[in-house]
Amino acid sequence: MNLVELRRCRQLVAALGALRLNHAYPPAAALAEHLRGVMTLPPGARLRRCPTTGWPHPDEWLRVRADRELAPSLLPRLDVLAAAGDRRSAERAAALRALDAVSPLKDEPPELALVDDAPEGLTAQLSVTLYDLSAPRFVRLVARLIDPARRHLRLDGPVVRASDALKARLTAAAERGAVGAARLLNADGVRVVELGLGAIGPVTEGDHGVKLSACLSRLTADLPQHHIDDPLAPELPVPDASDGLRLSHQRKWAVAAEDLAAHRAELTRKRSKNLSYGYTVPE
């Protein structure tokens, strides 16, 4: 068991709580709970890190989901072996039972809400949260769409329904940046009125602990101009002027409390006004 990676996971749980994420992002509490499952290792296992994102390796996230599914069939056999004195089987059974208290991240269907039913078209807000454990990547997309011809949005009594094609495009759009998502959704007569994309990560290193960041991109006609403040991505594609939408993109940070002053000074040197919060790991 590698203590360095376990300590990083505990720092990530604390950082998720410090980031003060709202409904524009994937639920931080659900992500933290899955991380606690990642820290529940089978006997002899070593916790690995994803070299590109700084999160635990994708296999670690997927293991939690798989072990939860396999536990009911594995535990009876492991208990028999443990009762016969097999210490490794007893440890494996204990690890599986510890996962009973964990609810792994699971994909949910898109959420729809009626915004307006007007002669110029039906307007609805669609949202989807993407937990791509194979990356890993955690994103929430909220899009307000108008469908003048009502081909992909329709009313079913008081409830708004979306076509399968539009829901599939929404899920695919969550895998792209804000501008790419809008371009994908602007199809077959449907038009994006407003769009928000909240992503948690990546994870970088500070002197006393991990630096976890989250970014929020918004496309809206309410902005006077594009505004990008992200030291990790200072240049991003912006929407075409003909779209009538402008891009706002900012990042926020959670860093170890001992690193907070130095981190804020670094942001000032980069002329960034990103919000930064300090976290401490409970003893």
Side-chain angles (χ1 to χ4, degrees):
M1 184 179 295
N2 40 346
L3 297 179
V4 171
E5 296 305 320
L6 286 170
R7 183 170 64 250
R8 286 183 86 256
C9 283
R10 287 193 289 270
Q11 291 170 351
L12 286 170
V13 170
L16 282 165
L19 270 176
R20 306 182 189 181
L21 300 177
N22 60 20
H23 66 278
Y25 298 90
L31 190 52
E33 184 167 348
H34 196 119
L35 268 172
R36 293 186 184 96
V38 167
M39 289 187 279
T40 305
L41 292 168
R46 290 183 60 82
L47 189 56
R48 295 175 297 155
R49 187 186 311 180
C50 175
T52 55
T53 68
W55 290 109
H57 192 278
D59 288 350
E60 308 294 353
W61 297 89
L62 293 166
R63 167 180 53 80
V64 176
R65 187 180 282 177
D67 281 357
R68 283 273 292 167
E69 293 175 355
L70 291 172
S73 61
L74 289 178
L75 281 171
R77 286 177 284 172
L78 289 171
D79 287 341
V80 170
L81 294 172
D86 188 331
R87 182 173 60 85
R88 193 174 183 85
S89 294
E91 292 173 349
R92 176 68 168 138
L96 287 175
R97 285 195 169 90
L99 290 177
D100 284 344
V102 174
S103 295
L105 297 170
K106 59 180 181 179
D107 297 326
E108 301 286 353
E111 303 168 16
L112 288 83
L114 177 66
V115 175
D116 191 25
D117 179 12
E120 57 267 27
L122 194 62
T123 303
Q125 181 166 291
L126 289 78
S127 58
V128 65
T129 302
L130 176 68
Y131 301 120
D132 184 1
L133 302 186
S134 64
R137 186 167 180 258
F138 312 103
V139 178
R140 180 167 173 80
L141 174 66
V142 181
R144 186 163 292 190
L145 309 175
I146 184 169
D147 184 4
R150 302 172 185 253
R151 282 196 294 264
H152 291 280
L153 293 172
R154 63 178 179 84
L155 281 179
D156 182 3
V159 179
V160 63
R161 307 285 186 189
S163 69
D164 291 341
L166 180 55
K167 287 188 284 189
R169 285 207 302 271
L170 185 74
T171 301
E175 300 177 353
R176 309 186 180 198
V179 173
R183 287 173 180 164
L184 182 61
L185 292 172
N186 280 329
D188 200 16
V190 175
R191 189 176 82 252
V192 173
V193 178
E194 189 171 323
L195 183 144
L197 189 69
I200 307 177
V203 184
T204 54
E205 303 302 314
D207 291 336
H208 296 86
V210 299
K211 292 183 177 182
L212 176 61
S213 65
C215 62
L216 179 61
S217 299
R218 290 182 61 240
L219 292 176
T220 176
D222 295 337
L223 293 171
Q225 61 187 15
H226 303 302
H227 178 66
I228 299 172
D229 184 1
D230 185 354
L232 298 185
E235 296 184 6
L236 291 171
V238 298
D240 298 331
S242 59
D243 290 342
L245 301 174
R246 283 167 287 278
L247 173 67
S248 168
H249 175 91
Q250 281 92 34
R251 188 171 294 275
K252 61 196 306 189
W253 303 79
V255 305
E258 302 92 326
D259 293 332
L260 187 57
H263 176 73
R264 285 175 172 168
E266 179 185 0
L267 290 178
T268 298
R269 287 193 297 271
K270 294 179 178 180
R271 299 182 178 180
S272 170
K273 296 182 179 180
N274 286 175
L275 293 173
S276 301
Y277 307 102
Y279 68 82
T280 55
V281 178
E283 296 295 336

